mmCIF file of all heavy atoms in Angstrom:
data_model
loop_
_atom_site.group_PDB
_atom_site.id
_atom_site.type_symbol
_atom_site.label_atom_id
_atom_site.label_comp_id
_atom_site.label_asym_id
_atom_site.label_seq_id
_atom_site.Cartn_x
_atom_site.Cartn_y
_atom_site.Cartn_z
ATOM 1 N N TYR A 1 113.526 92.261 85.774
ATOM 2 C CA TYR A 1 114.903 92.940 85.824
ATOM 3 C C TYR A 1 115.947 91.888 86.235
ATOM 4 O O TYR A 1 116.092 91.635 87.409
ATOM 5 C CB TYR A 1 114.874 94.085 86.782
ATOM 6 C CG TYR A 1 113.901 95.225 86.430
ATOM 7 C CD1 TYR A 1 112.599 95.190 86.792
ATOM 8 C CD2 TYR A 1 114.399 96.300 85.696
ATOM 9 C CE1 TYR A 1 111.747 96.225 86.480
ATOM 10 C CE2 TYR A 1 113.559 97.354 85.356
ATOM 11 C CZ TYR A 1 112.226 97.285 85.736
ATOM 12 O OH TYR A 1 111.363 98.317 85.392
ATOM 13 N N PRO A 2 116.651 91.302 85.277
ATOM 14 C CA PRO A 2 117.678 90.283 85.672
ATOM 15 C C PRO A 2 118.773 90.874 86.492
ATOM 16 O O PRO A 2 119.172 92.062 86.307
ATOM 17 C CB PRO A 2 118.180 89.748 84.324
ATOM 18 C CG PRO A 2 117.108 90.212 83.329
ATOM 19 C CD PRO A 2 116.560 91.452 83.828
ATOM 20 N N ALA A 3 119.390 90.071 87.342
ATOM 21 C CA ALA A 3 120.536 90.507 88.126
ATOM 22 C C ALA A 3 121.801 90.441 87.220
ATOM 23 O O ALA A 3 121.757 89.824 86.180
ATOM 24 C CB ALA A 3 120.741 89.638 89.347
ATOM 25 N N PRO A 4 122.840 91.142 87.553
ATOM 26 C CA PRO A 4 124.076 91.073 86.761
ATOM 27 C C PRO A 4 124.512 89.665 86.583
ATOM 28 O O PRO A 4 124.571 88.847 87.466
ATOM 29 C CB PRO A 4 125.082 91.883 87.609
ATOM 30 C CG PRO A 4 124.214 92.869 88.374
ATOM 31 C CD PRO A 4 123.000 92.107 88.705
ATOM 32 N N GLY A 5 124.819 89.301 85.301
ATOM 33 C CA GLY A 5 125.306 87.967 85.003
ATOM 34 C C GLY A 5 124.217 86.909 84.739
ATOM 35 O O GLY A 5 124.468 85.772 84.550
ATOM 36 N N VAL A 6 122.937 87.365 84.857
ATOM 37 C CA VAL A 6 121.808 86.428 84.668
ATOM 38 C C VAL A 6 121.034 86.854 83.390
ATOM 39 O O VAL A 6 120.819 88.080 83.143
ATOM 40 C CB VAL A 6 120.839 86.493 85.877
ATOM 41 C CG1 VAL A 6 119.651 85.576 85.662
ATOM 42 C CG2 VAL A 6 121.635 86.119 87.158
ATOM 43 N N THR A 7 120.700 85.913 82.539
ATOM 44 C CA THR A 7 119.948 86.227 81.347
ATOM 45 C C THR A 7 118.453 86.439 81.628
ATOM 46 O O THR A 7 117.933 85.915 82.677
ATOM 47 C CB THR A 7 120.098 85.118 80.323
ATOM 48 O OG1 THR A 7 119.434 83.886 80.818
ATOM 49 C CG2 THR A 7 121.611 84.842 80.032
ATOM 50 N N ALA A 8 117.789 87.113 80.759
ATOM 51 C CA ALA A 8 116.342 87.358 80.926
ATOM 52 C C ALA A 8 115.600 86.034 80.899
ATOM 53 O O ALA A 8 114.622 85.836 81.616
ATOM 54 C CB ALA A 8 115.849 88.309 79.863
ATOM 55 N N GLY A 9 116.053 85.093 80.019
ATOM 56 C CA GLY A 9 115.356 83.845 79.941
ATOM 57 C C GLY A 9 115.507 83.038 81.213
ATOM 58 O O GLY A 9 114.582 82.357 81.633
ATOM 59 N N GLU A 10 116.681 83.070 81.777
ATOM 60 C CA GLU A 10 116.923 82.312 83.032
ATOM 61 C C GLU A 10 116.023 82.839 84.152
ATOM 62 O O GLU A 10 115.420 82.071 84.893
ATOM 63 C CB GLU A 10 118.351 82.409 83.437
ATOM 64 C CG GLU A 10 118.740 81.555 84.645
ATOM 65 C CD GLU A 10 120.207 81.652 85.056
ATOM 66 O OE1 GLU A 10 120.925 82.408 84.350
ATOM 67 O OE2 GLU A 10 120.631 81.009 86.022
ATOM 68 N N LEU A 11 115.935 84.200 84.220
ATOM 69 C CA LEU A 11 115.052 84.803 85.264
ATOM 70 C C LEU A 11 113.617 84.464 85.009
ATOM 71 O O LEU A 11 112.858 84.122 85.934
ATOM 72 C CB LEU A 11 115.232 86.345 85.256
ATOM 73 C CG LEU A 11 114.267 87.126 86.158
ATOM 74 C CD1 LEU A 11 114.383 86.699 87.630
ATOM 75 C CD2 LEU A 11 114.531 88.613 86.002
ATOM 76 N N ALA A 12 113.188 84.502 83.776
ATOM 77 C CA ALA A 12 111.771 84.191 83.405
ATOM 78 C C ALA A 12 111.426 82.774 83.765
ATOM 79 O O ALA A 12 110.347 82.520 84.301
ATOM 80 C CB ALA A 12 111.500 84.485 81.960
ATOM 81 N N GLU A 13 112.309 81.853 83.514
ATOM 82 C CA GLU A 13 112.114 80.446 83.800
ATOM 83 C C GLU A 13 111.937 80.239 85.354
ATOM 84 O O GLU A 13 111.018 79.576 85.781
ATOM 85 C CB GLU A 13 113.219 79.588 83.287
ATOM 86 C CG GLU A 13 113.080 78.061 83.552
ATOM 87 C CD GLU A 13 114.276 77.264 83.119
ATOM 88 O OE1 GLU A 13 115.225 77.881 82.675
ATOM 89 O OE2 GLU A 13 114.202 76.026 83.225
ATOM 90 N N ALA A 14 112.865 80.855 86.087
ATOM 91 C CA ALA A 14 112.775 80.677 87.546
ATOM 92 C C ALA A 14 111.527 81.405 88.132
ATOM 93 O O ALA A 14 110.890 80.822 89.056
ATOM 94 C CB ALA A 14 114.017 81.277 88.183
ATOM 95 N N ALA A 15 111.151 82.563 87.548
ATOM 96 C CA ALA A 15 109.992 83.260 87.977
ATOM 97 C C ALA A 15 108.723 82.429 87.767
ATOM 98 O O ALA A 15 107.835 82.377 88.615
ATOM 99 C CB ALA A 15 109.884 84.624 87.303
ATOM 100 N N ARG A 16 108.707 81.779 86.587
ATOM 101 C CA ARG A 16 107.541 80.940 86.298
ATOM 102 C C ARG A 16 107.411 79.783 87.242
ATOM 103 O O ARG A 16 106.377 79.485 87.822
ATOM 104 C CB ARG A 16 107.606 80.403 84.837
ATOM 105 C CG ARG A 16 106.617 79.348 84.486
ATOM 106 C CD ARG A 16 106.875 78.769 83.100
ATOM 107 N NE ARG A 16 106.093 77.633 82.902
ATOM 108 C CZ ARG A 16 106.453 76.385 83.250
ATOM 109 N NH1 ARG A 16 107.621 76.208 83.842
ATOM 110 N NH2 ARG A 16 105.688 75.328 83.010
ATOM 111 N N LEU A 17 108.559 79.046 87.446
ATOM 112 C CA LEU A 17 108.528 77.883 88.295
ATOM 113 C C LEU A 17 108.150 78.277 89.744
ATOM 114 O O LEU A 17 107.382 77.559 90.398
ATOM 115 C CB LEU A 17 109.919 77.186 88.295
ATOM 116 C CG LEU A 17 110.286 76.426 86.992
ATOM 117 C CD1 LEU A 17 111.734 76.048 87.022
ATOM 118 C CD2 LEU A 17 109.352 75.260 86.762
ATOM 119 N N SER A 18 108.673 79.391 90.204
ATOM 120 C CA SER A 18 108.369 79.771 91.573
ATOM 121 C C SER A 18 106.950 80.266 91.760
ATOM 122 O O SER A 18 106.458 80.374 92.936
ATOM 123 C CB SER A 18 109.339 80.874 92.035
ATOM 124 O OG SER A 18 109.135 82.060 91.246
ATOM 125 N N SER A 19 106.261 80.579 90.660
ATOM 126 C CA SER A 19 104.872 81.067 90.743
ATOM 127 C C SER A 19 103.801 80.039 90.455
ATOM 128 O O SER A 19 102.666 80.325 90.651
ATOM 129 C CB SER A 19 104.751 82.244 89.780
ATOM 130 O OG SER A 19 105.620 83.286 90.077
ATOM 131 N N LEU A 20 104.274 78.853 90.003
ATOM 132 C CA LEU A 20 103.263 77.811 89.674
ATOM 133 C C LEU A 20 102.408 77.423 90.887
ATOM 134 O O LEU A 20 101.220 77.081 90.740
ATOM 135 C CB LEU A 20 103.927 76.623 89.068
ATOM 136 C CG LEU A 20 104.535 76.724 87.648
ATOM 137 C CD1 LEU A 20 105.286 75.508 87.284
ATOM 138 C CD2 LEU A 20 103.404 77.036 86.655
ATOM 139 N N ALA A 21 103.022 77.491 92.052
ATOM 140 C CA ALA A 21 102.303 77.120 93.270
ATOM 141 C C ALA A 21 101.641 78.337 93.933
ATOM 142 O O ALA A 21 100.999 78.131 94.987
ATOM 143 C CB ALA A 21 103.236 76.425 94.246
ATOM 144 N N ASP A 22 101.840 79.460 93.388
ATOM 145 C CA ASP A 22 101.314 80.714 94.015
ATOM 146 C C ASP A 22 99.913 80.954 93.444
ATOM 147 O O ASP A 22 99.779 81.361 92.297
ATOM 148 C CB ASP A 22 102.253 81.906 93.705
ATOM 149 C CG ASP A 22 101.816 83.162 94.401
ATOM 150 O OD1 ASP A 22 100.707 83.153 95.029
ATOM 151 O OD2 ASP A 22 102.531 84.141 94.352
ATOM 152 N N GLY A 23 98.874 80.696 94.180
ATOM 153 C CA GLY A 23 97.510 80.855 93.678
ATOM 154 C C GLY A 23 96.974 82.278 93.795
ATOM 155 O O GLY A 23 95.844 82.479 93.409
ATOM 156 N N THR A 24 97.770 83.202 94.204
ATOM 157 C CA THR A 24 97.264 84.541 94.281
ATOM 158 C C THR A 24 97.199 85.158 92.863
ATOM 159 O O THR A 24 97.907 84.679 91.932
ATOM 160 C CB THR A 24 98.276 85.444 95.135
ATOM 161 O OG1 THR A 24 99.534 85.520 94.496
ATOM 162 C CG2 THR A 24 98.441 84.821 96.512
ATOM 163 N N PRO A 25 96.427 86.213 92.725
ATOM 164 C CA PRO A 25 96.292 86.836 91.401
ATOM 165 C C PRO A 25 97.691 87.340 90.892
ATOM 166 O O PRO A 25 97.968 87.311 89.704
ATOM 167 C CB PRO A 25 95.357 88.027 91.626
ATOM 168 C CG PRO A 25 94.537 87.596 92.788
ATOM 169 C CD PRO A 25 95.427 86.756 93.662
ATOM 170 N N GLU A 26 98.515 87.827 91.810
ATOM 171 C CA GLU A 26 99.861 88.307 91.423
ATOM 172 C C GLU A 26 100.677 87.170 90.907
ATOM 173 O O GLU A 26 101.388 87.299 89.888
ATOM 174 C CB GLU A 26 100.564 88.951 92.572
ATOM 175 C CG GLU A 26 99.934 90.255 93.088
ATOM 176 C CD GLU A 26 98.716 90.061 93.995
ATOM 177 O OE1 GLU A 26 98.400 88.836 94.316
ATOM 178 O OE2 GLU A 26 98.107 91.049 94.423
ATOM 179 N N GLY A 27 100.616 85.987 91.599
ATOM 180 C CA GLY A 27 101.370 84.825 91.151
ATOM 181 C C GLY A 27 100.923 84.360 89.728
ATOM 182 O O GLY A 27 101.762 84.047 88.882
ATOM 183 N N ARG A 28 99.673 84.396 89.543
ATOM 184 C CA ARG A 28 99.128 83.958 88.200
ATOM 185 C C ARG A 28 99.577 84.946 87.113
ATOM 186 O O ARG A 28 99.861 84.537 85.984
ATOM 187 C CB ARG A 28 97.607 83.842 88.237
ATOM 188 C CG ARG A 28 97.097 82.671 89.125
ATOM 189 C CD ARG A 28 95.647 82.402 88.838
ATOM 190 N NE ARG A 28 94.751 83.566 89.254
ATOM 191 C CZ ARG A 28 94.268 83.682 90.495
ATOM 192 N NH1 ARG A 28 94.487 82.796 91.395
ATOM 193 N NH2 ARG A 28 93.469 84.708 90.770
ATOM 194 N N SER A 29 99.637 86.236 87.458
ATOM 195 C CA SER A 29 100.046 87.164 86.441
ATOM 196 C C SER A 29 101.503 87.005 86.047
ATOM 197 O O SER A 29 101.905 87.295 84.956
ATOM 198 C CB SER A 29 99.790 88.621 86.965
ATOM 199 O OG SER A 29 100.772 89.025 87.916
ATOM 200 N N ILE A 30 102.343 86.537 86.979
ATOM 201 C CA ILE A 30 103.744 86.271 86.673
ATOM 202 C C ILE A 30 103.828 85.159 85.615
ATOM 203 O O ILE A 30 104.610 85.219 84.632
ATOM 204 C CB ILE A 30 104.559 85.955 87.904
ATOM 205 C CG1 ILE A 30 104.645 87.159 88.872
ATOM 206 C CG2 ILE A 30 105.985 85.518 87.567
ATOM 207 C CD1 ILE A 30 105.192 86.872 90.205
ATOM 208 N N VAL A 31 103.086 84.082 85.831
ATOM 209 C CA VAL A 31 103.051 82.993 84.902
ATOM 210 C C VAL A 31 102.601 83.439 83.550
ATOM 211 O O VAL A 31 103.142 83.089 82.531
ATOM 212 C CB VAL A 31 102.155 81.835 85.454
ATOM 213 C CG1 VAL A 31 102.045 80.698 84.426
ATOM 214 C CG2 VAL A 31 102.718 81.250 86.758
ATOM 215 N N GLU A 32 101.580 84.265 83.546
ATOM 216 C CA GLU A 32 101.045 84.792 82.281
ATOM 217 C C GLU A 32 102.064 85.668 81.555
ATOM 218 O O GLU A 32 102.195 85.608 80.349
ATOM 219 C CB GLU A 32 99.739 85.607 82.546
ATOM 220 C CG GLU A 32 98.563 84.776 83.005
ATOM 221 C CD GLU A 32 97.447 85.601 83.566
ATOM 222 O OE1 GLU A 32 97.591 86.882 83.463
ATOM 223 O OE2 GLU A 32 96.458 85.062 84.029
ATOM 224 N N LEU A 33 102.821 86.473 82.308
ATOM 225 C CA LEU A 33 103.835 87.350 81.673
ATOM 226 C C LEU A 33 104.911 86.481 81.048
ATOM 227 O O LEU A 33 105.294 86.752 79.916
ATOM 228 C CB LEU A 33 104.424 88.247 82.743
ATOM 229 C CG LEU A 33 105.658 89.067 82.332
ATOM 230 C CD1 LEU A 33 105.224 90.124 81.314
ATOM 231 C CD2 LEU A 33 106.295 89.736 83.487
ATOM 232 N N CYS A 34 105.335 85.468 81.745
ATOM 233 C CA CYS A 34 106.414 84.576 81.213
ATOM 234 C C CYS A 34 105.928 83.771 79.989
ATOM 235 O O CYS A 34 106.695 83.531 79.029
ATOM 236 C CB CYS A 34 106.874 83.594 82.320
ATOM 237 S SG CYS A 34 107.726 84.430 83.691
ATOM 238 N N ALA A 35 104.668 83.401 80.024
ATOM 239 C CA ALA A 35 104.112 82.674 78.865
ATOM 240 C C ALA A 35 104.016 83.585 77.656
ATOM 241 O O ALA A 35 104.290 83.198 76.538
ATOM 242 C CB ALA A 35 102.750 82.074 79.267
ATOM 243 N N ARG A 36 103.535 84.806 77.917
ATOM 244 C CA ARG A 36 103.322 85.766 76.812
ATOM 245 C C ARG A 36 104.622 86.256 76.160
ATOM 246 O O ARG A 36 104.767 86.313 74.976
ATOM 247 C CB ARG A 36 102.471 86.907 77.285
ATOM 248 C CG ARG A 36 102.065 87.918 76.156
ATOM 249 C CD ARG A 36 101.215 89.027 76.701
ATOM 250 N NE ARG A 36 101.952 89.889 77.633
ATOM 251 C CZ ARG A 36 101.656 90.080 78.927
ATOM 252 N NH1 ARG A 36 100.591 89.438 79.419
ATOM 253 N NH2 ARG A 36 102.364 90.864 79.693
ATOM 254 N N ASP A 37 105.604 86.672 77.000
ATOM 255 C CA ASP A 37 106.774 87.319 76.501
ATOM 256 C C ASP A 37 107.972 86.383 76.256
ATOM 257 O O ASP A 37 108.880 86.711 75.493
ATOM 258 C CB ASP A 37 107.249 88.408 77.473
ATOM 259 C CG ASP A 37 106.266 89.575 77.561
ATOM 260 O OD1 ASP A 37 105.279 89.572 76.803
ATOM 261 O OD2 ASP A 37 106.471 90.461 78.437
ATOM 262 N N PHE A 38 107.934 85.157 76.877
ATOM 263 C CA PHE A 38 109.070 84.246 76.679
ATOM 264 C C PHE A 38 108.667 82.873 76.183
ATOM 265 O O PHE A 38 109.470 81.991 76.012
ATOM 266 C CB PHE A 38 109.783 84.085 78.019
ATOM 267 C CG PHE A 38 110.409 85.368 78.509
ATOM 268 C CD1 PHE A 38 109.707 86.208 79.329
ATOM 269 C CD2 PHE A 38 111.669 85.720 78.098
ATOM 270 C CE1 PHE A 38 110.222 87.376 79.826
ATOM 271 C CE2 PHE A 38 112.282 86.910 78.578
ATOM 272 C CZ PHE A 38 111.506 87.740 79.425
#
């Protein structure tokens, strides 16, 4: 859910980068979502 004034692609890129170091299953699922949908 992008914030006002932010594109979906920009949010997806930041979400992916912030999750690369997150070794939890939730963190990995964020990377997978960004890879699959964007």
Side-chain angles (χ1 to χ4, degrees):
Y1 296 87
V6 179
T7 66
E10 186 180 359
L11 173 59
E13 180 184 4
R16 169 186 169 274
L17 288 171
S18 63
S19 301
L20 288 174
D22 185 354
T24 65
E26 293 83 0
R28 291 195 295 270
S29 74
I30 294 171
V31 175
E32 292 168 4
L33 173 67
C34 296
R36 183 178 67 241
D37 292 356
F38 296 92

